[in-house]
Amino acid sequence: KMGEQFNFAGSSSARVSWDIKGLKVYPDENYAREIMQLYTIGLHELHPDGTEKRNKHGHVIQTYNNWDILSNARVFTGFDYTARRGNVEELFRSEKSRQDPMRIHVDKHDFFPK
């Protein structure tokens, strides 16, 4: 379900989009941004007591920028659903498995350094 909600299911690298479709399409940044903002480093650098760190001009210090998000989004390229298992999942829903982990299509994954 997260693959659909955060738009990384079925995504491919910019290289694949260019080679196959002739389009310059970048990976969706939504999930990468959520991971960084909510589950790892947050928006601003913090002191041990939880207060925000500020630069010499009094502005809060950002923990990441858009380049970091784009690099992180490239990690989540190539993921797609596995086939539905008819003996476990409901037959009328879809061909996608919601029981099994997503798999990576190596030919759609961005293999360049991040």
Side-chain angles (χ1 to χ4, degrees):
K1 192 76 175 159
M2 281 184 83
E4 288 176 355
Q5 291 174 337
F6 292 111
N7 302 325
F8 70 89
S11 67
S12 61
S13 69
R15 175 192 54 84
V16 171
S17 299
W18 180 256
D19 289 349
I20 294 175
K21 301 174 188 171
L23 300 173
K24 195 171 187 178
V25 179
Y26 295 100
D28 190 281
E29 300 170 3
N30 191 19
Y31 188 57
R33 184 176 280 108
E34 294 290 327
I35 291 286
M36 295 173 76
Q37 182 176 340
L38 299 176
Y39 301 111
T40 58
I41 59 176
L43 289 173
H44 308 119
E45 289 186 22
L46 302 175
H47 292 287
D49 66 358
T51 59
E52 295 172 331
K53 289 185 179 180
R54 299 190 175 269
N55 63 18
K56 64 182 180 182
H57 304 291
H59 300 109
V60 292
I61 301 171
Q62 304 292 321
T63 53
Y64 58 87
N65 59 31
N66 206 50
W67 182 253
D68 298 321
I69 294 168
L70 182 57
S71 294
N72 197 12
R74 293 171 46 215
V75 171
F76 299 104
T77 57
F79 281 91
D80 212 345
Y81 293 99
T82 54
R84 177 183 47 79
R85 292 185 286 160
N87 63 336
V88 177
E89 301 174 273
E90 298 178 40
L91 296 175
F92 64 88
R93 294 247 173 172
S94 78
E95 295 300 315
K96 301 181 259 185
S97 172
R98 298 197 184 270
Q99 298 280 324
D100 299 316
M102 295 175 77
R103 59 179 248 204
I104 296 179
H105 290 279
V106 177
D107 57 334
K108 291 184 176 182
H109 182 66
D110 189 327
F111 56 82
F112 292 106
K114 277 85 177 155

